[in-house]
Coordinates of all heavy atoms in Angstrom, one line a residue:
K16 N 72.3 93.7 95.9 CA 72.7 93.8 97.3 C 73.4 92.6 97.8 O 73.2 91.5 97.3 CB 71.4 94.0 98.1 CG 70.7 95.3 98.0 CD 69.4 95.4 98.8 CE 69.8 95.7 100.3 NZ 68.6 95.9 101.1
Y17 N 74.3 92.9 98.7 CA 75.1 91.9 99.5 C 76.1 91.1 98.6 O 76.5 90.0 99.0 CB 74.1 90.8 100.1 CG 73.0 91.5 100.9 CD1 71.7 91.2 100.5 CD2 73.3 92.3 102.0 CE1 70.6 91.8 101.3 CE2 72.2 92.9 102.7 CZ 70.9 92.6 102.3 OH 69.9 93.2 103.0
V18 N 76.5 91.7 97.5 CA 77.5 91.0 96.6 C 78.6 92.0 96.3 O 78.4 93.2 96.1 CB 76.8 90.5 95.3 CG1 77.8 89.9 94.4 CG2 75.7 89.6 95.6
S19 N 79.8 91.5 96.1 CA 80.9 92.3 95.6 C 81.9 91.4 95.0 O 82.0 90.2 95.1 CB 81.6 93.1 96.8 OG 82.2 92.2 97.7
F20 N 82.8 92.0 94.2 CA 83.9 91.3 93.5 C 85.1 91.1 94.4 O 85.8 90.1 94.2 CB 84.3 92.0 92.2 CG 83.3 91.9 91.1 CD1 82.7 93.0 90.6 CD2 83.1 90.6 90.5 CE1 81.8 92.8 89.5 CE2 82.2 90.5 89.5 CZ 81.5 91.6 89.0
T21 N 85.3 92.0 95.3 CA 86.4 91.9 96.2 C 86.0 92.4 97.6 O 84.8 92.8 97.8 CB 87.6 92.9 95.7 OG1 87.2 94.2 95.9 CG2 88.0 92.6 94.3
Q22 N 86.9 92.4 98.5 CA 86.6 92.8 99.8 C 86.2 94.3 99.9 O 85.4 94.7 100.7 CB 87.7 92.6 100.8 CG 87.9 91.1 101.2 CD 86.9 90.6 102.1 OE1 86.0 91.3 102.6 NE2 86.9 89.3 102.3
E23 N 86.8 95.1 99.0 CA 86.5 96.5 98.9 C 86.3 97.0 97.5 O 87.0 97.9 97.0 CB 87.7 97.3 99.5 CG 87.9 96.9 101.0 CD 89.1 97.7 101.6 OE1 89.4 98.8 101.1 OE2 89.6 97.3 102.6
D24 N 85.3 96.4 96.8 CA 85.2 96.8 95.4 C 84.5 98.1 95.1 O 84.4 98.5 94.0 CB 84.5 95.7 94.6 CG 83.0 95.6 94.7 OD1 82.4 96.3 95.6 OD2 82.4 94.8 94.0
T25 N 84.1 98.9 96.2 CA 83.6 100.2 95.9 C 84.7 101.1 95.3 O 84.4 102.1 94.7 CB 83.1 100.8 97.2 OG1 84.2 100.8 98.2 CG2 81.9 100.1 97.8
K26 N 85.9 100.7 95.4 CA 87.0 101.5 94.9 C 87.5 101.0 93.5 O 88.4 101.6 92.9 CB 88.2 101.4 95.9 CG 87.9 101.9 97.3 CD 89.1 101.7 98.2 CE 88.7 102.1 99.6 NZ 89.7 101.8 100.6
L27 N 86.9 100.0 93.0 CA 87.3 99.5 91.7 C 86.7 100.3 90.6 O 85.6 100.7 90.6 CB 86.8 98.0 91.5 CG 87.4 97.0 92.5 CD1 86.8 95.6 92.2 CD2 88.9 96.9 92.3
S28 N 87.6 100.5 89.5 CA 87.1 101.2 88.3 C 86.3 100.2 87.5 O 86.3 99.0 87.7 CB 88.3 101.6 87.5 OG 89.1 100.5 87.0
E29 N 85.7 100.7 86.4 CA 84.9 99.8 85.5 C 85.8 98.8 84.9 O 85.4 97.6 84.8 CB 84.3 100.7 84.4 CG 83.2 101.5 84.8 CD 82.6 102.4 83.7 OE1 83.0 102.2 82.5 OE2 81.7 103.2 84.0
R30 N 87.0 99.1 84.5 CA 87.9 98.2 83.9 C 88.3 97.1 84.9 O 88.3 95.9 84.6 CB 89.2 98.9 83.4 CG 90.2 97.9 82.9 CD 91.3 98.6 82.2 NE 90.8 99.0 80.9 CZ 91.5 99.8 80.1 NH1 92.6 100.3 80.4 NH2 91.0 100.1 78.9
A31 N 88.5 97.5 86.2 CA 88.9 96.5 87.2 C 87.7 95.6 87.5 O 87.9 94.4 87.7 CB 89.3 97.2 88.5
L32 N 86.5 96.1 87.5 CA 85.3 95.3 87.7 C 85.2 94.2 86.6 O 84.9 93.0 86.9 CB 84.0 96.1 87.7 CG 83.7 97.0 88.9 CD1 82.5 97.9 88.7 CD2 83.6 96.1 90.2
M33 N 85.4 94.6 85.4 CA 85.3 93.6 84.3 C 86.3 92.5 84.3 O 86.1 91.5 83.7 CB 85.3 94.4 83.0 CG 84.1 95.2 82.8 SD 83.9 96.1 81.2 CE 85.5 96.2 80.6
K34 N 87.4 92.7 85.0 CA 88.4 91.7 85.1 C 87.9 90.4 85.8 O 88.4 89.4 85.7 CB 89.7 92.2 85.8 CG 90.5 93.1 84.9 CD 91.7 93.5 85.6 CE 92.5 94.5 84.7 NZ 93.8 94.9 85.4
H35 N 86.8 90.6 86.6 CA 86.2 89.6 87.4 C 85.1 88.8 86.6 O 84.5 87.9 87.1 CB 85.7 90.1 88.7 CG 86.7 90.7 89.6 ND1 87.5 90.0 90.4 CD2 87.1 92.0 89.7 CE1 88.3 90.8 91.0 NE2 88.1 92.0 90.6
V36 N 84.9 89.3 85.4 CA 83.8 88.7 84.5 C 84.5 88.1 83.3 O 85.2 88.7 82.6 CB 82.8 89.7 84.1 CG1 81.7 89.1 83.2 CG2 82.1 90.4 85.3
K37 N 84.2 86.8 83.0 CA 84.7 86.1 81.8 C 83.5 85.7 81.0 O 82.5 85.1 81.5 CB 85.5 84.9 82.2 CG 86.7 85.2 83.1 CD 87.7 86.0 82.4 CE 88.9 86.3 83.3 NZ 89.4 87.6 83.2
V38 N 83.5 86.0 79.7 CA 82.5 85.7 78.8 C 83.0 84.7 77.7 O 84.1 85.0 77.1 CB 82.0 87.0 78.0 CG1 80.9 86.6 77.0 CG2 81.4 87.9 79.0
D39 N 82.4 83.6 77.6 CA 82.7 82.6 76.6 C 81.6 82.4 75.7 O 80.4 82.4 76.1 CB 83.0 81.2 77.3 CG 84.2 81.3 78.2 OD1 85.3 81.9 77.8 OD2 84.2 80.8 79.3
E40 N 81.9 82.2 74.4 CA 80.8 82.0 73.4 C 81.1 80.7 72.7 O 82.2 80.4 72.3 CB 80.8 83.1 72.4 CG 79.6 83.0 71.4 CD 79.6 84.1 70.3 OE1 80.6 84.8 70.2 OE2 78.6 84.2 69.7
S41 N 80.1 79.9 72.5 CA 80.2 78.7 71.7 C 78.9 78.6 70.8 O 78.1 79.5 70.8 CB 80.2 77.5 72.7 OG 79.0 77.3 73.4
D42 N 78.8 77.5 70.1 CA 77.7 77.2 69.3 C 76.4 77.2 70.1 O 75.3 77.5 69.6 CB 77.8 75.9 68.5 CG 78.9 76.0 67.4 OD1 79.2 77.2 67.0 OD2 79.4 75.0 67.0
E43 N 76.5 76.8 71.4 CA 75.3 76.7 72.2 C 74.9 78.1 72.8 O 73.8 78.2 73.4 CB 75.6 75.7 73.4 CG 75.7 74.3 73.0 CD 77.1 74.0 72.5 OE1 78.1 74.5 73.0 OE2 77.3 73.2 71.5
G44 N 75.7 79.1 72.8 CA 75.4 80.4 73.3 C 76.5 81.0 74.2 O 77.6 80.5 74.2
I45 N 76.1 82.0 74.9 CA 77.1 82.8 75.7 C 77.0 82.2 77.1 O 76.0 82.0 77.7 CB 76.7 84.3 75.8 CG1 76.7 84.9 74.4 CG2 77.5 85.0 76.8 CD1 76.1 86.2 74.4
T46 N 78.2 82.0 77.7 CA 78.4 81.6 79.1 C 79.1 82.7 79.8 O 80.2 83.2 79.4 CB 79.1 80.3 79.2 OG1 78.4 79.3 78.5 CG2 79.3 79.9 80.7
I47 N 78.6 83.1 81.0 CA 79.2 84.2 81.8 C 79.7 83.5 83.1 O 79.0 82.8 83.8 CB 78.3 85.3 82.1 CG1 77.8 86.0 80.8 CG2 78.9 86.3 83.1 CD1 76.7 87.0 81.0
N48 N 81.0 83.7 83.4 CA 81.6 83.1 84.6 C 82.1 84.3 85.4 O 82.8 85.2 84.9 CB 82.8 82.2 84.2 CG 82.4 81.1 83.4 OD1 81.7 80.2 83.8 ND2 82.8 81.0 82.1

């Protein structure tokens, strides 16, 4: 609740949503930005 990726993300497709998530992996583990 109370969170969105954009001003109107109810219209975003799954692919568009994932563009706002970055996953990095290192020896220490996974970092999500």
Side-chain angles (χ1 to χ4, degrees):
K16 286 178 84 172
Y17 310 120
V18 177
S19 64
F20 284 116
T21 67
Q22 288 286 354
E23 299 181 22
D24 78 351
T25 56
K26 300 175 184 174
L27 293 178
S28 67
E29 288 179 4
R30 177 171 281 172
L32 287 174
M33 291 183 340
K34 288 182 181 181
H35 298 278
V36 179
K37 302 294 181 220
V38 176
D39 296 314
E40 185 182 16
S41 68
D42 290 336
E43 292 84 35
I45 298 168
T46 300
I47 298 173
N48 299 294

